[in-house]
Amino acid sequence: MSILQYANKTPEQLHDERLSMLIDIAKELENEVIFPTCFDASVQISTVMKSKTASVQRIVHEIQKDPLITAKLLKLANSVVYNPMGNMVLDLGSALARLGMETARSTALACAMQQLVRSRELSAFDDTANWFWIHSLKTAMIARVIARRLTRVNPEIAMLAGLVHDLGAFFMLDRAGRYPELSERPKTVEYLVAQWHESVGTILLDSLGLPEEVVAAVNEIDQPRPFIDTPRNLSEVIYVANLFAGGFAEMQKLDLPDLHEPKELSHAKYTDLCSEMDEACQEMISMF
């Protein structure tokens, strides 16, 4: 079918095609979720990391099978964020000890997400995919800063939750790439992703075996909330981090009535941390 034929489709036909994609995704999520091939190795490494019985030696062995993840972990362990004193580590075991398993797991998943963003299936949606990719990295690092500075929430768990909070968007973009008629209409797909990625993401995160607190924390993260003066839990940390990483733009695509810019974005308690947030974000983005 030609592009002209796509353009000549009626609103009813386009609606049916969008609905078809959503139905196919829903059916797929009812069974064992199959992630894109480029995601598999990093997911397997992440699974080993969460095992309570796996030794450090076994985890190191699994990670070393993927040179990209190994290199990213060493680079992160020696970055200013994790190595402010400049004490370099040269082996993976020392890097894991410095970073902790949750941060290492976040990095493995970040590598998987980066590979997914660069996959052929997402090429039709480059702008949207890249926006979500940078947004995810920023949310992760901002969440870490907020958790560390303002709460008793584990900063590394906050980083993990921030990184994966929009995983459903990447999954939907990958699936949309299988529908030629939708590939020609990226704005339509962008709208579908905005409306549905949170619901899809909740199922995906559960399939990945992420901690229940992470799955719960990212639920309805793009829905406006009453003003949060000081975050009290992981969910509130991710909500505020999402805002400072550009999440208000996501809210604006949800057709919400009487939507106003969240007060958190001008609250001194958070804006005082902006320089630290920016530095942490740039450090992480530079790794990829």
Side-chain angles (χ1 to χ4, degrees), residues 103-115:
T103 299
R105 192 177 180 197
S106 295
T107 306
L109 287 172
C111 289
M113 291 165 68
Q114 183 189 33
Q115 292 173 58

Side-chain angles (χ1 to χ4, degrees), residues 27-44:
K27 288 179 179 177
E28 184 177 355
L29 295 178
E30 287 178 355
N31 303 303
E32 182 180 356
V33 179
I34 306 299
F35 288 93
T37 303
C38 62
F39 212 86
D40 287 348
S42 298
V43 169
Q44 290 172 11

Side-chain angles (χ1 to χ4, degrees), residues 142 144-151 240 244 267-280:
I142 292 171
R144 184 176 184 273
V145 170
I146 291 173
R148 190 161 57 92
R149 292 296 191 188
L150 301 178
T151 76
V240 176
F244 275 88
H267 187 40
K269 187 172 291 184
Y270 303 122
T271 57
D272 286 349
L273 297 174
C274 278
S275 59
E276 185 176 351
M277 291 177 186
D278 290 343
E279 186 176 325

Side-chain angles (χ1 to χ4, degrees), residues 35 51 69 74 100 103 111 114 121 133-134 144 147 158 169 208 268 285:
F35 288 93
S51 170
I69 295 176
L74 285 168
T103 299
C111 289
Q114 183 189 33
E121 286 76 10
W133 167 236
I134 297 300
R144 184 176 184 273
L208 283 172
I285 291 170

Side-chain angles (χ1 to χ4, degrees), residues 12-25:
E12 290 76 16
Q13 288 174 314
L14 292 171
H15 174 270
D16 289 344
E17 287 162 357
R18 294 193 292 266
L19 183 60
S20 176
M21 187 187 88
L22 293 174
I23 290 173
D24 288 345
I25 288 176

Side-chain angles (χ1 to χ4, degrees), residues 22 168-169 172 191-202 254:
L22 293 174
M172 288 189 70
Y191 176 80
L192 286 176
V193 170
Q195 298 291 321
W196 292 99
H197 75 276
E198 285 191 343
S199 299
V200 172
T202 298
L254 294 177

